[in-house]
Amino acid sequence: ASDVYKRQLLGRQSKESEMTDLLAIAYPWIKSIHIISVISWMAGIFYLPRLFVHHSENVKLSGETHDLFCMMEMKLLKVIMNPAMISTWIFGLLLVVTPGIVDWSNVWPWLKMISVIAMTAFHMWLGSQRKRFVAGEDVLEGRRYRMMNEVPTVLMIVIVISVVVKF
């Protein structure tokens, strides 16, 4: 029975080693796709609240222009932002499980993780605001959307400093 256990253990170690080797080889590609995904996500996360500002200040909650804004907001969220957020998470998690990349005894990975979760919550909030526009419900004033647009800026600053400085 102990020989069977040793073979199973060696087999697991071999598979883990193969996965580690694969992650190490793919690391530059994973990191590149992660960065491209983040840039795409941030572009949308900065632009959608600006669309909300103009939608709430210059357009009634019905009519042709309203429908045009709703379509632009929907496409930005569904075609660019959602896929970019998902790929950011996937490739970010692949970086996390790549051995030697993240030292969880430091503060920076925890701060980055909290900030990325907050960015994701902001993304979801934007999605809920888009639904309010589509439904013609009471939406926030443009000034409030301008103020909320600062949230991802602060989070981005925290994330970039955390990753670059690695404190």
Side-chain angles (χ1 to χ4, degrees):
S2 69
D3 287 340
V4 171
Y5 175 74
K6 286 179 186 176
R7 280 196 302 268
Q8 287 176 342
L9 183 60
L10 287 173
R12 270 192 225 127
Q13 289 173 343
S14 175
K15 287 178 185 172
E16 288 174 10
S17 177
E18 287 174 16
M19 181 57 113
T20 300
D21 292 347
L22 180 61
L23 287 171
I25 291 167
Y27 174 75
W29 291 101
I30 294 169
K31 188 174 183 179
S32 297
I33 296 169
H34 178 68
I35 291 168
I36 292 165
S37 300
V38 168
I39 291 168
S40 299
W41 188 25
M42 291 298 93
I45 244 172
F46 289 135
Y47 186 51
L48 189 54
R50 298 305 303 166
L51 283 175
F52 290 166
V53 166
H54 298 296
H55 195 166
S56 67
E57 289 181 349
N58 302 312
V59 180
K60 294 181 179 171
L61 292 178
S62 64
E64 195 173 306
T65 307
H66 166 74
D67 293 342
L68 177 64
F69 267 87
C70 286
M71 184 267 305
M72 291 188 307
E73 293 157 356
M74 184 272 300
K75 287 192 176 193
L76 179 60
L77 187 68
K78 304 276 184 182
V79 177
I80 297 171
M81 292 172 63
N82 286 349
M85 179 189 68
I86 291 166
S87 61
T88 295
W89 270 95
I90 290 169
F91 290 99
L93 290 172
L94 285 172
L95 290 171
V96 167
V97 300
T98 302
I101 301 302
V102 178
D103 179 0
W104 290 98
S105 67
N106 291 327
V107 172
W108 77 266
W110 297 101
L111 190 56
K112 179 184 177 183
M113 179 182 67
I114 291 165
S115 298
V116 171
I117 290 169
M119 191 77 76
T120 302
F122 184 77
H123 178 112
M124 299 303 171
W125 179 79
L126 290 173
S128 70
Q129 292 301 302
R130 187 196 70 79
K131 288 178 183 175
R132 292 178 69 137
F133 276 105
V134 170
E137 292 179 8
D138 189 34
V139 295
L140 301 177
E141 294 176 358
R143 182 174 180 272
R144 293 279 305 276
Y145 289 119
R146 279 187 186 89
M147 290 177 4
M148 290 304 291
N149 203 25
E150 301 309 317
V151 171
T153 303
V154 171
L155 292 171
M156 178 202 58
I157 290 167
V158 170
I159 291 168
V160 170
I161 290 172
S162 297
V163 172
V164 172
V165 177
K166 294 191 191 287
F167 48 89

